[in-house]
Amino acid sequence: MSRIQRTDDDGTSLYVHVPFCVVKCGYCDFTSYVVEDTSVHDTFLAALDAELALLPVPRHPTTVFVGGGTPSHLAPQRLEALFALLRRHVDLDACGEVTMEANPESIDRRKAEIALAAGVSRFSMGVQSFDAARLRFLDRAHSAECVVAAVGELRAAGVVNLSLDLIFGVPGQPLSAWEDDLERALALQPDHLSCYALTYEPGTRLTHELRAGRIARLGEEEERSMFLRTREVLHAAGFRAYEISNFAGRGGPCRHNDHYWLQGDYVGVGPGASSHRSGHRATNLKPIEAWAKSALARVPPVATAETLTPEQRVGEAIWLGIRRADGVDLARVGRRIGCDVRTALWPLLERHRARGWIELDGDTMRLTSEGLLFADAVGSDYLVGEPDAIQTPSDRR
Ligand SMILES: C[S@@+](CC[C@H](N)C(=O)[O-])C[C@H]1O[C@@H](n2cnc3c(N)ncnc32)[C@H](O)[C@@H]1O
Ligand code: SF4
């Protein structure tokens, strides 16, 4: 499997946020809305066009990711309109990778054909589980049969690079049930898999129920067993764990997410989307009305903007990059930000190495197999400021 060659400047990627869903899942805090009146979808498309015209969006982004929310929730004509407007601003045919997120209940052959014709090269479908009780617990709108049918529709349309998202660590879930989910996902022959441990995000229904004592978090040991078993099962099936939660099969890694983890520049459009260019970060207004009103008035729909210090940029580079199997190239980070990372962080690097959590191989810093189990804690030690305040488009949109 070929690895992506990295230079110090990997260009700028584009993230397009489509904030509509058929239901709001109990675990999800991404910017998404359930709207009855679908004329809001048209307002969204007009505002997106206006926002793209306001921004320095490169004609040839490194990668494009159309995510959500649920892009496949748009009706076929609106999906056509979405891609037509994107193509006016960006040369999708020349992009290294164009991903679209889809949900099983709303993707079909026709929508997949529209996306493929517009230049989409990769689909990512949120499955989460094949078990009826767990799907209900998570508020998912689909059944296991619906997933199988959706994969059939995507393949019939000609999709050759298909990723599936799964969630483990759901309250009451035994290891055998997670193994069953993995087997059923593998039986669909995906080209890539993302397997996330369930997290309890502020403001979600699950977090509310956890605090009220109505549900109990799965034990740490059980979750760890699931994490380790995932790696064994997927490795045996020929998948490479190129990042803690991401496994590359025939389709290779997700280049777009890899670009984030390598702290590449990106422009994000849509409600709640963020952009990051050489240490300058901006995050859009989340409420769809406020975001659309601003964009349509030709005013950047930005809620917050900040410039990171070199120390903050280094901390984030390690926090993001340490989850990659290839580790973090400290010399590359130093060249991009303009500092000597090894010298600046030597006491902390030494401490983590002494505890057996990281290894240093020349300029490359990598988690050990022990460190893999504490990746979040190790990574957040390098952050300057509050870890909760730092989010990437791949985990909080
Ligand atoms: C925000 S969703 C967008 C894609 C699509 N709408 C869907 O439902 O899959 C992207 C992925 O993030 C993951 N995700 C979102 N919130 C999560 C949480 N609290 N814990 C674990 N995974 C989560 C899910 O696996 C989901 O497929
Ligand atoms: S997980 Fe997906 S479908 Fe569910 S609310 Fe979040 S974005 Fe929407």
Side-chain angles (χ1 to χ4, degrees), residues 168-389:
F168 65 92
V170 178
Q173 183 181 31
L175 177 62
S176 59
W178 171 238
E179 288 171 334
D180 192 49
D181 273 343
L182 284 172
E183 289 308 330
R184 293 180 78 174
L186 287 171
L188 294 172
Q189 305 191 338
D191 306 291
H192 179 281
L193 280 164
S194 300
C195 300
Y196 301 109
L198 179 66
T199 58
Y200 293 83
E201 304 301 332
T204 59
R205 177 182 65 76
L206 285 196
T207 299
H208 187 64
E209 300 210 351
L210 188 71
R211 294 210 176 119
R214 286 196 291 274
I215 58 171
R217 205 185 261 271
L218 200 75
E220 252 176 50
E221 268 312 310
E222 288 148 299
E223 192 179 305
R224 199 165 289 169
S225 304
M226 289 181 180
F227 170 77
L228 293 172
R229 190 77 186 116
T230 306
R231 298 173 75 84
E232 281 168 16
V233 169
L234 298 187
H235 178 72
F239 284 73
R240 182 168 76 88
Y242 68 100
E243 195 263 356
I244 287 197
S245 308
N246 285 278
F247 301 84
R250 285 170 310 216
C254 172
R255 293 181 59 181
H256 187 82
N257 283 339
D258 220 30
H259 184 79
Y260 289 148
W261 298 322
L262 285 160
Q263 221 185 23
D265 288 349
Y266 55 84
V267 173
V269 289
S274 52
S275 303
H276 181 272
R277 299 188 111 175
S278 311
H280 302 286
R281 182 161 46 217
T283 301
N284 277 352
L285 294 160
K286 279 191 178 189
I288 189 158
E289 302 81 6
W291 164 82
K293 193 173 167 206
S294 178
L296 290 168
R298 306 283 183 258
V299 176
V302 172
T304 58
E306 61 181 328
T307 300
L308 304 180
T309 63
E311 292 75 19
Q312 285 175 314
R313 291 179 71 191
V314 168
E316 286 197 21
I318 296 179
W319 181 67
L320 288 167
I322 204 161
R323 296 172 58 93
R324 300 176 70 248
D326 290 348
V328 183
D329 180 345
L330 297 175
R332 177 182 187 268
V333 172
R335 280 195 305 275
R336 293 178 77 241
I337 298 172
C339 60
D340 180 349
V341 178
R342 265 181 98 99
T343 307
L345 293 176
W346 191 248
L348 187 53
L349 290 168
E350 262 308 297
R351 185 143 41 93
H352 282 163
R353 185 157 65 171
R355 296 188 82 152
W357 288 344
I358 64 159
E359 59 189 21
L360 287 166
D361 174 9
D363 281 320
T364 302
M365 162 194 191
R366 236 181 259 110
L367 288 172
T368 60
S369 47
E370 174 72 7
L372 265 180
L373 302 172
F374 305 101
D376 285 341
V378 177
S380 58
D381 276 355
Y382 293 88
L383 289 176
V384 178
E386 282 297 303
D388 287 352

Side-chain angles (χ1 to χ4, degrees), residues 44-55:
F44 162 75
L45 292 173
L48 196 69
D49 200 13
E51 188 185 9
L52 281 161
L54 284 172
L55 286 170

